[in-house]
Amino acid sequence: MGVEILCNARLATMNGPACGLIERGALLLEGGCIRWAGPEVDLPTDHAATSRHDLGGRLVTPAPIDCHTHLVHGGERAREFELRLQGASYEEIARAGGGILSTVAATRAASEDDLVASALPRLDALLAEGVAVIEVKSGYGLDRDTELRMLRAARRLEALRPVRIVTSYLGAHACPPDTDPDAYIDEICIPALHAAHAEGLVDAVDGFCETIAFTPAQIARVFDAARALGLPVKLHAEQLSHLGGTALAARYGALSADHVEYASEDDARAMARAGTVAVLLPGAFYTLNEAQLPPIAAFRAHGVAMALATDCNPGSSPLTSILLTMNMGCTLFRLTPEEALRGVTENAARALGLADCGRLAPGLRADLAVWNVENPAELAWRIGFNPLHQRWFNGAPC
Ligand code: DI6
Ligand code: FE
C-alpha cells in the first residue's frame, strides 16, 4: 500500500464548526492513515504518490460509525410489531414474557454459525452506506454460554468483512423468567462478564436501567465489576422513564448514556461534567411511537456531545440504515444536519472511546466515505436513498 492522493473533493473534516468543510480539498493517505488533509493548493509535495484519485468535486466525510447496535441476535419479532399496532405497549409485551425474552429464546437456540450468518445481511446493509465501525452488543443470551457465543460471533464478523467491530457486554439487558434479578446479576451476569473478558471478547460493558429491566443499584454492581476489570461502561438509560440511570452513568464516567429521552437538565449537567456522550436512538423512538423527546436543548446548552445510532435490534429498532437514522435525528429530534453528521462520525467515535477515527485529520484512520452529493445536509435530507459513491477502509477503496 503506497501513498494515495485524493483530490478535487469537498472535505467534511468534522474539525470545527460547519462540518469543518474545505471547499476544494485533498487528502494524502499512507499506511492506512490520513497523513495530510487540507486545501488542494497546499498539498505537500514531499511524497512519492503511487496513485492520484480525482473525486470530481464529490463530498468526502469520515466513514460513518454505528455506535449502538444489537446486530447479532436470533429470530425475528414481526408478530410483536403486529401486537403493538393493535395497541399493546412495549412494556406490556415485555411483562408478558415477550420482547427481549422472545429473542433470548431464539438466540439460545442458534449456533455461533447461525448468529454470524443472520447478522451478515444486516452488516452488509450498513457497509453499503459506508459504515466502517459497528458496535455490537450481547444481551440476548442471559446465560454464560449464549452471551459468550454472541460476542464470539460479533468478533468473527470483523474477519468476514472490511469493518471494525467494537463489542459491548450487555448481560444486564433483561432478567430471565422466574429468576430473582439480584441473584441473576450476582450469580450469572457478573461471572459471565469475567468469562467473556478472560476470552478477550469485551471492549465495554453496557446495561439496561429501566422499570422492565434493572435498577441503578443492580447496574452499579455490574459497573463495579467492569471497573475492577478495567473496562469502560455505557448504559441504556432513561428510555421509558426517569430512574436515575443517566446520573449513574455519569458518576461512573461512562462513555455514553443511550436513549436518554427522559433525561433531565441535571442529568445533562452531570453528563457534561463527566464527558459522557448522549447516544440518541431515533429508530427506537419511532418504532415504539414514543412521545417524550430527549432534552436536546439541555444537551446543547451544557455542551453534551450527541451521537446518533441505529440501535439495530429486532424489537424496538429493526433499523439498518445510518442515513435514515440521520434523517430521523433531524426530523424527529430536531437535530441540525451538521449535528446529525457529527453524531455518526466524531461523536460516535467518542461514544466508543475511539480516538483514531471519526474525523479527517492527520494520524487518524483512512476510513472515508465518498458521496455523490455536494453538501453535507444532503446526507440527512433524502429518505431511502443511498448516495454513496465509494467506501475507503483502512486506506484502500473497497
Ligand atoms: N432498549 C431497547 O430499545 C432495546 N434494548 C434496550 O435495552 C430493545 C431490545 C429488544 O426489544 O429486543
Ligand atoms: Fe439498545
Side-chain angles (χ1 to χ4, degrees):
M1 185 187 300
V3 174
E4 308 271 354
I5 301 283
L6 282 65
C7 58
N8 190 11
R10 305 186 82 228
L11 303 183
T13 65
M14 307 318 291
N15 301 317
C19 299
L21 199 64
I22 297 174
E23 286 298 338
R24 186 177 173 96
L27 289 160
L28 197 159
L29 314 181
E30 187 171 20
C33 285
I34 298 169
R35 202 179 117 190
W36 184 90
E40 190 170 330
V41 292
D42 300 334
L43 189 63
T45 53
D46 64 334
H47 57 79
T50 47
S51 45
R52 193 179 184 91
H53 307 263
D54 183 323
L55 296 184
R58 292 183 178 87
L59 179 72
V60 180
T61 68
I65 296 163
D66 195 352
C67 68
H68 181 133
T69 86
H70 306 256
L71 199 80
V72 168
H73 59 261
E76 47 79 22
R77 299 249 293 275
R79 176 63 190 135
E80 179 181 318
F81 177 58
E82 291 176 294
L83 291 173
R84 280 194 280 104
L85 290 172
Q86 291 160 15
S89 76
Y90 183 78
E91 291 91 329
E92 285 163 351
I93 293 168
R95 292 192 193 287
I100 293 171
L101 296 181
S102 68
T103 299
V104 167
T107 305
R108 286 178 172 178
S111 69
E112 188 180 307
D113 288 349
D114 294 340
L115 293 175
V116 169
S118 62
L120 280 174
R122 297 187 282 267
L123 176 64
D124 288 337
L126 292 170
L127 268 56
E129 292 185 352
V131 171
V133 184
I134 301 173
E135 184 258 10
V136 180
K137 306 174 188 293
S138 68
Y140 286 121
L142 310 186
D143 64 29
R144 181 191 181 284
D145 290 349
T146 313
E147 288 293 312
L148 270 63
R149 189 161 70 248
M150 291 185 71
L151 292 168
R152 291 188 196 111
R155 283 278 195 252
R156 275 177 55 187
L157 297 173
E158 207 167 43
L160 296 170
R161 293 291 190 275
V163 69
R164 291 169 76 190
I165 299 292
V166 177
T167 60
S168 297
Y169 175 78
L170 180 57
H173 194 195
C175 186
D178 309 322
T179 307
D180 172 72
D182 283 307
Y184 169 71
I185 291 289
D186 296 334
E187 297 164 19
I188 299 174
C189 180
I190 290 173
L193 166 59
H194 282 98
H197 175 262
E199 207 173 303
L201 295 172
V202 184
D203 297 317
V205 177
D206 192 353
F208 187 19
C209 187
E210 192 51 71
T211 51
I212 55 172
F214 296 98
T215 66
Q218 290 161 344
I219 295 294
R221 297 210 297 275
V222 178
F223 280 6
D224 287 340
R227 182 178 274 176
L229 293 171
L231 292 170
V233 298
K234 53 182 54 246
L235 188 61
H236 289 66
E238 266 70 60
Q239 178 182 1
L240 306 173
S241 66
H242 189 275
L243 213 56
T246 305
L248 177 78
R251 270 204 307 282
Y252 276 83
L255 291 172
S256 68
D258 301 38
H259 288 286
V260 291
E261 278 90 341
Y262 284 83
S264 65
E265 175 127 27
D266 284 345
D267 292 334
R269 279 194 197 91
M271 291 172 77
R273 279 196 300 272
T276 298
V277 175
V279 175
L280 306 176
L281 304 170
F285 177 91
Y286 167 82
T287 303
L288 300 182
N289 199 25
E290 291 294 336
Q292 175 71 28
L293 291 169
I296 303 296
F299 290 147
R300 287 179 180 136
H302 296 285
V304 176
M306 295 184 281
L308 278 170
T310 62
D311 191 16
C312 176
N313 76 72
S316 70
S317 190
L319 173 62
T320 51
S321 169
I322 201 72
L323 292 171
L324 179 53
T325 300
M326 290 169 67
N327 174 270
M328 287 180 171
C330 297
T331 303
L332 297 176
F333 291 170
R334 321 313 291 174
L335 296 184
T336 66
E338 196 266 346
E339 287 172 325
L341 180 56
R342 198 174 299 278
V344 300
T345 53
E346 180 184 14
N347 290 346
R350 286 182 57 178
L352 298 178
L354 299 178
D356 67 349
C357 60
R359 293 182 299 116
L360 302 182
L364 272 61
R365 282 176 59 96
D367 297 337
L368 319 168
V370 183
W371 305 95
N372 284 317
V373 301
E374 279 190 30
N375 303 307
E378 294 179 69
L379 297 177
W381 162 58
R382 287 193 186 277
I383 301 172
F385 178 78
N386 178 7
L388 184 72
H389 173 71
Q390 187 176 51
R391 180 174 182 267
W392 284 67
F393 181 74
N394 196 27
C398 60

